[in-house]
Amino acid sequence: MLLFFALGLLVHFVFFASIFDIYFTSPLVHGMTPQFTPLPPPARRLVLFVADGLRADALYELDENGNSRAPFIRNIIMHEGSWGVSHTRVPTESRPGHVALIAGFYEDVSAVAKGWKENPVEFDSLFNESKYTWSWGSPDILPMFAKGASGDHVYTYSYDSKRQDFGAQDATKLDTWVFDNVKDFFHHARNNQSLLSKINEEKIVFFLHLLGIDTNGHAHRPSSRDYKDNIKKVDDGVKEIVSMFNHFYGNDGKTTFIFTSDHGMTDWGSHGAGHPSETLTPLVTWGAGIKYPQRVSAQQFDDTFLKEWRLENWKRLDVNQADIAPLMSSLIGVPFPLNSVGILPVDYLNNTDIFQAESMFTNAVQILEQFKVKMTQKKEATLPFLFTPFKSLSDSKQFDILRKARSYIKDRKFDEAVSLCKELIHLALKGLSYYHTYDRFFLGINIAIGFVGWISYASLLIIKSHSNLIRGVSKEVKKPSHFLPCSFVAIGILVALFLLIQACPWTYYVYCLLPVPIWYAVLREFQVIQDLVTSLLTYPLSHFVGYLLVFTLGIEVLVLSFFYRYMLTVGLTAFAGWPFLTRLWTRAKVTSLSWTFFSLLLAVFPLMPVVGRKPDISLVMGAGLLVLLLSLYVVTSLTKRKDSFIKEELLVHLLQVLSTVLSMYVVYSTQSSLLKKQGLPLTNQIISWATLASSLIVPLLSSPALFQRLFSILLSLMSTYLLLSTGYEALFPLVLSCLMFVWINIEQETLQQSGVSCKQKLTSIQFSYNTDITQFRQLCLDDIRRAFFLVFFLVTAFFGTGNIASINSFDLASVYCFLTVFSPFMMGSLMMWKILIPFVLVMCAFEAVQLTTQLSSKSISHYVIVMSMTIFLVFLNGLAQLLTTKKLRLCGKPKSHLM
């Protein structure tokens, strides 16, 4: 069985890793030739302002008095430049947004493993192609573009990362620091001849990263006065910087200004997903090479923003975020970033028609270069008779389009040339996507074959070892044949040779060879398969179809719950009526009513708004108070049992009660301190981390008696959960735990219906790591229901409060009791632990169910592996067993307190 566990972990780890290899590989290719427009550019220098976390509507809309929050930017829109909405892509995070803006491609998702800070794959960018770039802003953003640059021509000036504090007194200081340092830089340049000569060169870039708006949005929400006032401060700062540039360069008209944002933000102060408030960002451009405002009488868009923003008479030019990179490259005459997939928005350009056509032609050739390299790489790694080229863009069609476009430019048919180049770009982008996903179907099929094989093998092993389903079926012992192993060895060799010839990555060998031994193991159990079929044929057809329909319906509800949270409510409501469809109602009325009550109560949570959208500390305080009342009741009840409650355990429970009180205090005082903009108190931070560190240790000091240990686990984890809560979700683990306690009771009641004798009293059951295996029984149909309950409760723990519905469901305010300075890994880890706490509670309860129903944890774990398809369930099972069975002793020999 231990070998089976190890194999299960390995198989599921491979299946899990395959997701990233199939769907999240880097889209970047290398080996292209730089492409630039062969005509003089309109600008010598470019100034890029990126207001991190600024929503388009927050900048463009008027306030309640009919005034703009950014009067300078609005004046630019109406009198000096062009504007529009920049559409970002998921994930709407700072690094991916800046990569799209400055490098022109949509982020390599493997950067998430680096906390969106490091470059997992080196890439080209506007900064790298410039002669010099100077940048000011966050230490999380600037270094990634300097690190990937060739030579020493990208200069960064960053403040200390500790300034990025969501609990700081005034986050606008982050932006003030940038504006002040830019002014000081130019003041210093007047007295530094070397620096002065550099900033008077052409093809240079100045980048101002403004993080204050994003920080205030996370800390106070975009609807707050802090967020809106920060926009005004940024507007004032931009006005001063523009004035300084014009004065410094003597109003030479050779400076282009671009103001935009990397991503937006939801109303509840988060970002990362694809909500319009996150993907719609402002784009305002003015200066050299940019068209002046264009008055129009009507515009056609799928939204009503123009009317809401009162900009319906000024032409709106929308772009994709990656399109800004080729726009900036064209304006200052540097090669387009090699990995850019942006399409030059020529409508922004105020230049000659031939310049626009040549720039578009350069853009087309630059993207076509990537297509050619990608196609060559895939062709060289595929057997000739298996290679299927992208038929829409053959070599002859490439040549014809390029030749025709060049002919149009020569004949001064510039509009036709631009249109043809856009057609070529779209075809090349489709081709890039085609070759990027070329192996996806092949790998997906192999993973599917392996997964089906693993499910089959696990199921057969369970049936063979832990059920009576095939008992009594005649078995004829046959001499083992060498044909089967030899056949699979041959298949494995052929698969390996096939991959070797194509020079495939080592991971392909894993995905393609893994199904071979798995299916060999399945076919080795052919006798079990025969016996199973024989046994099923003797089963009444009506019963079989009925069970199959119920099982299918249950699985369908589980699947739909991943997309529609309210399906959990449907399932829990069905659970509430379960006792009334069986004899449980007549045997245990109180237990049945408790089950119904807590099932319906838990069913309310999936219907509530996603966590973080409506924070309410009073609900967190209420949850803490309920925990205290429950603790008082339990401790009082246990104290009356003098034989079963020793002083050491009373001390542990009192310590946990104190921890709950401290957690409530920390939540309340931290909230109060942050509202006053006084930051996170050090004392609160110390208490929070101490509570977290002790949450998995203190339960081990409690009694191994079933309910006492489970209650101790609940108290410890609830203390941590309160610190990580911002609203109604603080009540969720409490209600879930109550239902789990009832589940333990009701499952023991079902044993009598299954004909299992010697029903133990729950008060006499203790967790023990070394359990007598002679007490275990064979599996029955009721155990399938128990396994389904487990999976359903785990899914409910996952989606019950919406924590995993999407990336933007994570609310950074959840971790403010632990830290307020931006730290992606630390904050992510804390929020992940918050999500896992309900999982641990469910798994600990299931450990108790296995014990009370005399079921081997090994056999039921196989069900878990087959039905849930999640690798970390096995780890959670181990954690639950550790929390429930281990006992730490403070001192001396423990007293015996068996009832």
Side-chain angles (χ1 to χ4, degrees), residues 712-746:
S712 180
I713 293 170
L714 171 62
L715 284 183
S716 284
L717 295 181
M718 273 302 298
S719 296
T720 302
Y721 202 86
L722 289 173
L723 294 170
L724 293 167
S725 298
T726 60
Y728 76 87
E729 82 273 19
L731 296 164
F732 180 72
L734 190 58
V735 176
L736 180 64
S737 296
C738 290
L739 182 58
M740 293 299 99
F741 279 108
V742 179
W743 185 29
I744 296 168
N745 281 276
I746 206 168

Side-chain angles (χ1 to χ4, degrees), residues 52-74:
D52 204 305
L54 177 60
R55 293 162 46 150
D57 58 346
L59 179 74
Y60 293 141
E61 69 185 5
L62 303 179
D63 62 19
E64 56 274 7
N65 298 319
N67 300 319
S68 173
R69 298 189 188 97
F72 175 75
I73 297 293
R74 194 171 183 90

Side-chain angles (χ1 to χ4, degrees), residues 704-707 748 760-767 848 851-852:
L706 189 143
F707 278 117
Q748 200 187 38
Q760 295 175 281
K761 291 184 178 180
L762 288 175
T763 53
S764 66
I765 297 177
Q766 292 200 6
F767 286 110
L851 188 61
T852 59

